[in-house]
Amino acid sequence: MSYIKIDKLWKRYGDTVVLEDLNKTVERGEFITIVGASGCGKTTFLKMLLGTESPTGGAILLDGIPLVAEPSEERGIVFQRYSVFPHMTALENVMLSLEFEQSPLLARLFGGARKKARQTAKDMLEAVGLEQALHKYPHELSGGMQQRLAIAQSLIKQPRILLLDEPFGALDPGIRKDMHELVLKLWRELNLTVFMITHDIQEGFYLGTRLWVFDKERIDPHAPEAYGAKITYDLPVGQTDDALLQRIDQSLNQTEQKKETLHHGQ
Amino acid sequence: MKRLINQEPNRVARWLLGLLPFLLLLALYVGASNARLAENPNDKLLPSFDSFGSAIERLAFEPSRRTGEYLFWQDTLSSLQRLGIGVALSASFALAFGVLTGAIPYVRANLSPLMTAVSLVPPMAILPILFIVFGLGELAKVMLIIIGIAPFLCRDLQQRVMEIPDEQLIKAQTLGASSWQIIQRVILPQILPRLITSVRLSLGSAWLFLIAAEAIASTDGLGYRIFLVRRYLSMDVILPYVVWITILAFFIDLLLRLLSRRCFPWFHAQTGNN
C-alpha cells in the first residue's frame, strides 16, 4: 500500500471547478514540488492536504485512512508569513508543541519536564542554525531566520507530511539558496515527506524528487470556470532538460495569458 | 526648499511649537480676566489666579469646616475609585467576552448580536433605570461606567481576536493544540496589549459617564463638586477641578502606555505604534 493516495480528487466551489479528477500516489520520503499558474488550484490542493478545505469528491488517504478535515499533528505547515507566534521567543515558539502535548490543561511545563523540553527545543534550533537567537522575538529576526524558526517549530513534532506554502517567496535570492540547503539537509536526515508549493520553477527542479505542474488542459472561452486544473506533468527531478523546462514555462504562461484576455473581455 | 510635507521640526522647535498654543491661551485668559476684574472687582466669570490659589488652598490643604475632610483629596479618591472599579470590571468582562466570541464561532453566533444591540442603547437614557434598580449608592455609578464602556470594549476585543492571522491558529493546530490550549497560549497573550489599547481609547467615555453619574446623585467626587459649586458661579473652583481631571486623565493614559510597552515589547515592535 502506498503512503499517500490521492483518489479521484475533485474540488468545486459552486459551478466553478478548481481541481478535476486528481489521481496520484506518493511514497514515504518523497519531496514533491508543485508549480502552476496562479488560480490553478495549487493552494486549494495544499489546503486539502492540510485539512482546512475538504474535497468535493474523492479523498486523500494517508496509510489507507482518509485525512481528517481539520489541521492535525500528522501534518506540519510553514506558510509564507505569520507562521511563528510573535509574542514568544524563538525557544518558546519551538517548545510550544511539547507543552501542548505534555500539559493538556495549563499548556505550560514546569521543573524537570520544562528543562527537558528546553533541551529538545534547543537541539532543534541548533539543527536549523538558530543557536544564536534562542531568546529573540520573531520581530528581531530577519525573514530568513523567521522561516528557519517556523521550520524548526514544525519539525519538532515529527509530522508525517511537511507542507510548505511558498515558504521562501518573500526572501532574497541569496538567503533563499541557504534555505534550500537547509531544507534538503533536514529532508535527508529526518526522512521527511514534503509537499512544497513554489512560484519559481527553477526552485522546483532543484529541490524535489518529483515536480508536479498544475495547469488547465482545456479552457472554454465562454465558460472559463467549467474545467478545472489537473496535474499536467509529473516529472522525476534530475532527468529533465532545459527544453522541457521551457515548454512547461510556456504552457503556464499561455494559461495565464488566456485568463488575462478572458478577464479583459468581461 | 523642500516640500512642506517633508520638513520636520527639530526637538527644540517641536517643544516650542507645542507649547505655544498653551501659552497663547493662558495669555488670552489672563488678559480677559484682568479686563473684567478692572471693571468689576467682584466678577465671578473669569477669576484671577490669586482666587484659584486660595480656592485650591481652601479645598486641598484645609480641612472642611463641616466634615473635617480635605474635600479636594476626598473627591479625587472617590472619583478614581469609581473609575478604577468600573474600568477594571469592564475590561475583565470584555476580555472574557472578546476571547470567547472571537475564538469560538458558536459562542459568537449566540452572543454577538445581543452585544451589538446592547451597544446601541444610549447609556445616559437608562441612567434612571440604574438609579431605580441599584439605588443611589456607589453601585449605580459604577454600573453606568460599565454599561457605558463595556459594550464598546467587548466588540472591539472580539474584532481584535478575529484579526489574529488564521495562519497562527492553523499552525497551533498542527502543533497538536486543543481549542482551550490555543485560547490560553496563542489568543490570550496576544490580546492583552490590545486590551490596554482599547481601555485607553475608552477612558474618555469612562470619565464622561463618571462625571454624569456624580453630577446627578452623589455626595462627593470631582463631578459632584463641579456641579455643586456651579450654583454659586464658583469658577475659581470649577476651572482648577477641570484642569485636575485633565491632568489625571493624562497620567492614567501615560501609565497604561508605559505598562503596555514594558510588558509587551513585541507588540509595539510589531505594530510600530507607541
Side-chain angles (χ1 to χ4, degrees):
Chain A
M1 191 170 55
S2 46
Y3 190 58
I4 296 167
K5 185 164 194 242
I6 297 159
D7 190 23
K8 302 191 202 79
L9 190 70
W10 284 76
K11 183 68 189 178
R12 286 191 211 92
Y13 294 106
D15 288 336
T16 310
V17 182
V18 181
L19 292 170
E20 58 177 77
D21 202 26
L22 305 188
N23 289 287
K24 289 281 170 210
T25 55
V26 174
E27 294 309 324
R28 197 172 171 174
E30 287 199 83
F31 190 141
I32 293 162
T33 45
I34 298 171
V35 298
S38 53
C40 270
K42 292 171 301 191
T43 303
T44 307
F45 176 71
L46 197 85
K47 280 181 176 167
M48 287 195 280
L49 273 173
L50 182 60
T52 53
E53 293 272 357
S54 38
T56 318
I60 302 175
L61 308 170
L62 178 63
D63 276 339
I65 302 159
L67 285 171
V68 209
E70 68 171 348
S72 67
E73 295 170 78
E74 286 159 347
R75 295 157 273 180
I77 175 90
V78 175
F79 294 106
Q80 186 171 2
R81 295 176 64 200
Y82 303 126
S83 265
V84 293
F85 300 111
H87 58 294
M88 297 180 188
T89 63
L91 191 63
E92 286 168 342
N93 259 294
V94 179
M95 274 170 69
L96 188 62
S97 69
L98 302 172
E99 294 185 295
F100 284 150
E101 186 184 336
Q102 296 166 35
S103 171
L105 205 60
L106 293 177
R108 280 175 197 282
L109 294 173
F110 302 97
R114 185 179 171 78
K115 238 182 191 168
K116 234 174 96 185
R118 272 176 77 100
Q119 195 50 52
T120 317
K122 257 189 200 166
D123 293 343
M124 195 68 236
L125 281 165
E126 219 162 287
V128 298
L130 281 184
E131 62 274 6
Q132 302 297 330
L134 298 181
H135 302 294
K136 289 206 166 132
Y137 284 97
H139 74 261
E140 298 169 298
L141 303 176
S142 68
M145 285 162 92
Q146 285 188 23
Q147 291 307 74
R148 281 169 193 265
L149 177 59
I151 291 170
Q153 192 183 34
S154 294
L155 288 184
I156 201 162
K157 279 306 277 188
Q158 298 171 324
R160 305 187 61 191
I161 313 171
L162 181 64
L163 306 170
L164 307 173
D165 188 0
E166 291 187 37
F168 314 132
L171 303 180
D172 295 335
I175 294 168
R176 209 184 288 190
K177 236 185 195 114
D178 296 343
M179 296 300 289
H180 291 165
E181 298 309 320
L182 174 74
V183 166
L184 285 177
K185 182 192 105 177
L186 292 169
W187 167 63
R188 275 189 216 106
E189 280 173 7
L190 303 172
N191 192 24
L192 301 167
T193 309
V194 183
F195 288 84
M196 173 168 134
I197 291 186
T198 173
H199 259 331
D200 179 355
I201 198 164
Q202 306 285 352
E203 185 175 82
F205 270 96
Y206 175 68
L207 270 184
T209 56
R210 231 167 131 181
L211 176 76
W212 289 358
V213 181
F214 276 57
D215 202 0
K216 290 193 178 187
E217 285 180 327
R218 297 172 291 181
I219 294 185
D220 180 345
H222 301 293
E225 317 299 342
Y227 299 109
K230 289 185 159 199
I231 297 175
T232 51
Y233 289 89
D234 179 355
L235 307 164
V237 167
Q239 300 170 24
T240 30
D241 51 58
D242 284 346
L244 178 61
L245 202 149
Q246 292 215 326
R247 219 163 55 230
I248 295 172
D249 222 9
Q250 240 166 32
S251 107
L252 287 181
N253 282 338
Q254 272 169 13
T255 312
E256 296 262 17
Q257 272 162 18
K258 265 187 220 164
K259 271 207 220 141
E260 292 253 315
T261 44
L262 280 175
H263 269 292
H264 287 303
Q266 272 165 6
Chain B
M1 193 71 174
K2 280 189 189 169
R3 284 180 190 80
L4 202 56
I5 55 164
N6 292 327
Q7 294 178 32
E8 292 265 356
N10 64 25
R11 226 180 127 76
V12 179
R14 216 164 42 227
W15 269 93
L16 287 178
L17 283 172
L19 214 55
L20 193 65
F22 286 96
L23 294 177
L24 280 178
L25 219 58
L26 204 64
L28 197 70
Y29 180 88
V30 172
S33 169
N34 284 346
R36 282 188 75 107
L37 288 170
E39 220 161 273
N40 171 13
N42 291 324
D43 180 64
K44 299 203 103 182
L45 201 61
L46 300 176
S48 68
F49 277 81
D50 287 344
S51 25
F52 287 147
S54 60
I56 293 171
E57 184 158 344
R58 183 161 40 85
L59 287 167
F61 303 109
E62 287 169 16
S64 154
R65 258 170 286 162
R66 202 164 57 82
T67 59
E69 284 166 339
Y70 294 87
L71 291 178
F72 178 82
W73 301 112
Q74 181 58 37
D75 287 339
T76 305
L77 190 71
S78 303
S79 287
L80 285 183
Q81 203 173 353
R82 288 171 195 140
L83 190 76
I85 296 174
V87 171
L89 286 179
S90 306
S92 321
F93 177 73
L95 183 64
F97 182 93
V99 167
L100 288 176
T101 54
I104 305 172
Y106 267 93
V107 179
R108 179 159 67 243
N110 189 222
L111 295 182
S112 215
L114 176 68
M115 191 50 78
T116 308
V118 168
S119 72
L120 294 174
V121 177
M124 292 308 291
I126 53 170
L127 184 57
I129 303 177
L130 295 180
F131 284 140
I132 293 168
V133 175
F134 298 110
L136 296 176
E138 292 299 297
L139 187 58
K141 292 175 208 102
V142 171
M143 278 310 288
L144 180 67
I145 297 176
I146 293 177
I147 287 176
I149 66 169
F152 160 77
L153 287 175
C154 285
R155 294 180 69 189
D156 193 51
L157 282 181
Q158 177 189 325
Q159 197 55 42
R160 299 283 97 78
V161 171
M162 290 172 69
E163 277 169 13
I164 293 178
D166 268 345
E167 283 89 340
Q168 285 187 24
L169 304 183
I170 292 169
K171 180 89 185 195
Q173 293 175 63
T174 64
L175 298 178
S178 65
S179 301
W180 166 240
Q181 288 177 321
I182 290 175
I183 287 177
Q184 241 186 316
R185 293 299 308 271
V186 180
I187 294 177
L188 207 54
Q190 290 201 68
I191 219 64
L192 286 178
R194 291 168 171 93
L195 174 68
I196 292 183
T197 308
S198 306
V199 166
R200 282 175 60 195
L201 284 176
S202 69
L203 270 175
S205 324
W207 275 105
L208 167 73
F209 294 120
L210 171 73
I211 289 169
E214 286 179 344
I216 293 168
S218 192
T219 52
D220 61 359
L222 297 167
Y224 162 77
R225 193 70 51 200
I226 291 177
F227 276 78
L228 181 75
V229 300
R230 180 189 59 109
R231 295 177 204 160
Y232 319 115
L233 286 179
S234 292
M235 290 293 269
D236 56 338
V237 174
I238 295 178
L239 286 176
Y241 262 64
V242 171
V243 172
W244 176 236
I245 291 173
T246 312
I247 292 172
L248 286 176
F250 173 80
F251 277 102
I252 294 172
D253 185 67
L254 183 73
L255 206 72
L256 285 173
R257 203 180 69 185
L258 293 179
L259 180 80
S260 178
R261 281 174 67 137
R262 189 174 171 83
C263 298
F264 311 106
W266 53 267
F267 176 73
H268 297 278
Q270 186 188 22
T271 53
N273 72 24
N274 49 23

